[in-house]
Amino acid sequence: MAEPILSVRDLHTEFVANEGIIRAVDGVSFDVFQGRTLGVVGESGCGKSVTARSILGIVERPGRVTGGQIILRPADGPPVDLLKLPAKAMRDIRGPEIALVFQEPMASFSQYYTIGNQIMEGIRLHLGLSRRAARDRAIELLDMVGVPQPSRRVDEYPFQLSGGLRQRVMIAMALSCDPRVLIADEPTTALDVTTQAQILDLLRDLQQKQGLALILITHDMGVIAEMAHDVAVMYLGRAVETGPVGEIFSAPRHPYTRALLRSIPTVLAKPRTRLPTIEGSIPHPSNRPTGCAYHPRCLEIIDERCRAQEPPETGAATTRIRCFLHGGAA
Amino acid sequence: MITFIVRRLLLGLFTVWLISMLAFAIIQLPPGDFVDSYIANLAAGGASVSADEANAMRKLYGMGQPIYVQYGKWIVRVVAGDLGESMEWRRPVAEVIGDRIWLTLLLSFAALLVTWGLALPIGIFSAVRQYSVADYIFTLIGFIGIAVPNFLLALIILYAAFRYLGLSVGGLFSAEYALAPWTWDKVKDLSWHLPLPAMILALSGTAQLIRIMRANLLDELRKPYVVTARAKGLSEMRTILKYPVRAALNPFASNIAYLFPYLVSGSIIISIVLGLPTVGPLLVRALIAQDVYLGGAIVLLLGVLTVIGTFISDLVLMWVDPRLRHQMD
Ligand SMILES: Nc1ncnc2c1ncn2[C@@H]1O[C@H](COP(=O)(O)OP(=O)(O)OP(=O)(O)O)[C@@H](O)[C@H]1O
Ligand SMILES: [Mg+2]
């Protein structure tokens, strides 16, 4: 396989809070390749959004990236570690190299400016286009993401659009500077089911046409099955299992991955039976369990080792796992 | 949108009408009719009024006729610009008020500018640098500003200026311009005298506004659209000024009207302390001396100005808030 566009290695992001230091991201590693979709999946609060923000360098106070590497391989030039870039250079990455689509299309737009204004801003800043040219490009982009009557819509405000259209506009805005990596942070959770499917179709389409590297964040294994080439399963700030979708769905190895897969509703399931859910609830990152963070909920816990030691990352280059069931003997 | 403006306009007119009744009620308040007390007042001053003159006046004011006729006659004259006669000054009310109403407006407006000019940048700075040393210092100054009554501050400044600088800082004009007709030099003189009272008047409002702006902006800074702006690669400065500050400013547009009566009533004591030629001291004296036409006229004028201010801030709010604008279509 070609070299990844973006490699995240052992990323750590912390928040300083009253109850102590919250390790929201605690050693995540994964690779993203051109033209492929990496699905990042995990329960609420496991650090998916914070990972996305860490990659863009926009973690807000009191959060701070405290360790790791984020290696971007630009089209031309040598790889750069984004964590070592000066602020100005990092701003030039946001938009033209890596762009973000957010969870809540309503709250993620300002209600005081037209969507055209908000799309054109990045275009003018990064591509240096004139107001006119930027406007033309904004209309083109709206057309590309399937917004009807783009030349009229461009002058409307976000609150005048439906949720689905807003998310399309958000995607247009993210693509406005031709990024090579697109991070979509739960782009469909705020939408109804039909619209969800449409937005996912749109993302897949755009990815194929433009050869984007897509990081799709979700907590829905079904979406992963449909969209992703590779998966990173996150638990409490870590990637516990990563690998190609086919392998992980046919032979999940980490107990957490298995539990997640069991909780997908299937057409074959008996009606009116309860879906299996994962026992217990996710601990808050501020009181992470000792040893393997999943051990209090794990159904396949082996021995004291799981409680006392953290399982190291093992496995081949493409399929990696953190679990004592699969190597990492002490 | 047009219907909204028209509706606001009608509502404003209705309010003005209510205020006019209030002003009229003030005029009717003292026992006995106005002409009686006017004559008594004149007599006390040594002048006398003939019975014919008294009757003519009674007729003019509609005395002895039903109250609504009296109100009608009064309001017609007011609309025509005749605000009645000031008992204390023995001159037409319009003449007594004269420039004072404009100077009051000017002072209030200047205080508003000072308030915004100081409070907005400081509030923004305090929010962006929350819990920094500077934030704490501004917070402290702010609380002092809220706690110290501004007339006390006025007294202290008067005293200090007189004691240590040998200056007399009262008034809005130097002695030689106070009664002079308007000239460029008089305007220049005014612009020298205006900032100090404006600043004293602005103090507590500024302190409050800093708190409001800081709280608003802290709220807005946490909103997802700020992250969106950052993710576009905008500089931090541009991100903050274009998005959250814009949103945090919105409530201020609706505050213009609210601030105006507050500034006017706040300025009464300051005007007395600093000897400013505004309507505040005039109103107080008129009320004490039962100078009914003067008092009624001032209440009426201030009320009308407030209604106009409210109307203007409605328009401003509509102009700055696209949601409001579109809701109405
Ligand atoms: N501004 C912040 N201050 C303190 N803690 C934070 C902050 N932002 C996130 N966290 C913590 O980081 C952890 C991970 O949050 P994150 O938003 O990345 O979760 P997520 O995986 O995206 O969840 P969801 O599926 O609900 O979006 C959470 O436990 C949260 O408490
Ligand atoms: Mg999230």
Side-chain angles (χ1 to χ4, degrees), chain B residues 137 233 243 247:
Chain B
I137 292 174
Y243 291 102

Side-chain angles (χ1 to χ4, degrees), chain B residues 293-309:
Chain B
Y293 277 96
L294 185 55
I298 293 175
V299 167
L300 184 64
L301 277 178
L302 291 182
V304 169
L305 285 174
T306 306
V307 170
I308 293 175

Side-chain angles (χ1 to χ4, degrees), chain B residues 41-76:
Chain B
N41 197 283
L42 282 184
S48 64
V49 179
S50 72
D52 282 352
E53 272 179 287
N55 281 333
M57 270 182 86
R58 286 219 158 78
K59 198 151 174 237
L60 177 66
Y61 290 109
M63 300 286 162
Q65 283 169 300
I67 194 94
Y68 57 85
V69 176
Q70 293 188 32
Y71 171 77
K73 292 200 168 193
W74 174 75
I75 198 79
V76 166

Side-chain angles (χ1 to χ4, degrees), chain A residues 32-296:
Chain A
V32 194
F33 297 90
Q34 178 170 12
R36 284 176 80 87
T37 299
L38 170 74
V40 176
V41 67
E43 285 165 290
S44 191
C46 68
K48 304 182 296 287
S49 299
V50 175
T51 304
R53 287 183 202 183
S54 303
I55 292 174
L56 275 171
I58 51 172
V59 180
E60 66 262 45
R61 286 177 315 157
R64 212 159 56 86
V65 177
T66 51
Q69 288 178 310
I70 300 171
I71 309 288
L72 178 75
R73 290 185 182 77
D76 43 356
V80 283
D81 182 353
L82 298 184
L83 295 179
K84 298 211 172 76
L85 277 188
K88 170 77 182 76
M90 190 61 215
R91 286 206 296 273
D92 292 337
I93 298 284
R94 295 176 203 140
E97 290 288 337
I98 309 176
L100 198 50
V101 172
F102 294 90
Q103 184 165 350
E104 302 161 63
M106 184 68 179
S108 301
F109 279 108
S110 166
Q111 305 303 317
Y112 294 100
Y113 301 95
T114 60
I115 55 173
N117 179 316
Q118 296 182 60
I119 298 176
M120 283 155 63
E121 192 174 31
I123 300 176
R124 298 196 58 192
L125 180 73
H126 294 295
L127 308 184
L129 295 188
S130 69
R131 176 169 283 278
R132 245 212 128 80
R135 190 186 152 87
D136 290 344
R137 178 162 170 83
I139 295 174
E140 247 170 62
L141 285 160
L142 290 177
D143 192 38
M144 180 179 80
V145 298
V147 172
Q149 296 179 286
S151 48
R152 215 194 72 210
R153 293 285 184 177
V154 76
D155 293 320
E156 293 192 346
Y157 290 88
F159 54 82
Q160 293 175 278
L161 307 179
S162 68
L165 274 189
R166 270 199 289 268
Q167 196 56 294
R168 284 175 193 269
V169 174
M170 174 64 69
I171 292 171
M173 188 159 86
L175 294 180
S176 64
C177 299
D178 281 327
R180 297 188 313 136
V181 180
L182 181 68
I183 308 177
D185 187 355
E186 306 194 26
T188 57
T189 20
L191 306 174
D192 65 73
V193 187
T194 0
T195 323
Q196 279 186 10
Q198 287 168 2
I199 293 292
L200 290 177
D201 281 346
L202 172 68
L203 279 175
R204 196 170 26 214
D205 235 42
L206 289 169
Q207 183 203 34
Q208 278 161 11
K209 269 192 224 139
Q210 316 206 347
L212 281 173
L214 179 63
I215 302 180
L216 182 65
I217 296 176
T218 173
H219 48 240
D220 185 345
M221 270 294 193
V223 170
I224 297 281
E226 216 177 302
M227 297 280 297
H229 303 99
D230 306 298
V231 194
V233 180
M234 280 187 70
Y235 191 77
L236 226 56
R238 286 194 190 165
V240 291
E241 185 169 8
T242 52
V245 165
E247 274 175 53
I248 291 197
F249 272 68
S250 60
R253 295 190 297 165
H254 198 285
Y256 181 60
T257 315
R258 286 186 218 167
L260 280 181
L261 285 172
R262 273 195 301 275
S263 63
I264 306 183
T266 60
V267 206
L268 301 178
K270 271 223 299 275
R272 279 177 300 281
T273 50
R274 291 192 69 192
L275 274 174
T277 50
I278 305 179
E279 288 290 316
S281 55
I282 353 162
H284 193 262
S286 63
N287 52 17
R288 147 187 290 280
T290 55
C292 169
Y294 186 58
H295 86 256

